[in-house]
């Protein structure tokens, strides 16, 4: 909501960064609590995903549908997270320690 007022419409500057930014050595870091409200282009252009527990099934389903990774349908659990790099067939479960 700080960058995009309407999740259905991506402003041209953000679309350009997402689709062509790497050619100019630019990176975009994004964070959200509700992936269901994020435009699919934003998720599909991600090279790395860190997915923590998402309470709602529709949020988990959105990420799984866009990436094609079924692991995201399941919650990783308390202090755990899923890590995925573009091209991986499945996610890796990590754990926060400290």
């Amino acid at each position: 909501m700080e960058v995009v007022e309407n999740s259905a419409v991506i402003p041209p500057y953000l679309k350009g960064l997402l689709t062509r930014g790497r050619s100019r050595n630019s990176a975009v870091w994004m964070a959200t609590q509700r992936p269901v409200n994020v435009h699919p282009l934003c998720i599909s252009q991600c090279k790395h995903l860190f997915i923590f527990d998402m309470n709602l099934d529709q949020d988990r389903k959105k990420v799984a549908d866009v990436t094609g990774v079924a692991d995201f349908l399941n919650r990783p659990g308390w202090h755990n997270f899923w890590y995925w790099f573009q091209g991986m067939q499945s996610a890796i479960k990590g754990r926060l320690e400290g």
Side-chain angles (χ1 to χ4, degrees), residues 10-87:
I10 297 178
Y13 62 86
L14 182 56
K15 184 176 182 180
L17 281 170
L18 292 171
T19 58
R20 298 182 308 276
R22 285 185 286 258
S23 69
R24 299 284 187 199
N25 292 322
S26 294
V28 177
W29 287 73
M30 295 183 286
T32 184
Q33 291 180 306
R34 294 298 318 276
V36 75
N37 295 329
V38 174
H39 193 283
L41 179 68
C42 294
I43 299 172
S44 70
Q45 292 296 312
C46 289
K47 288 188 87 169
H48 301 270
L49 291 177
F50 295 88
I51 306 290
F52 293 83
D53 274 356
M54 292 184 283
N55 292 328
L56 298 178
D57 292 338
Q58 64 219 35
D59 287 321
R60 294 191 302 273
K61 184 173 180 351
K62 169 84 173 258
V63 177
D65 287 347
V66 173
T67 62
V69 177
D71 295 325
F72 295 136
L73 293 171
N74 303 308
R75 290 175 165 179
W78 184 249
H79 292 285
N80 296 323
F81 62 93
W82 292 115
Y83 169 72
W84 176 80
F85 180 80
Q86 189 178 46

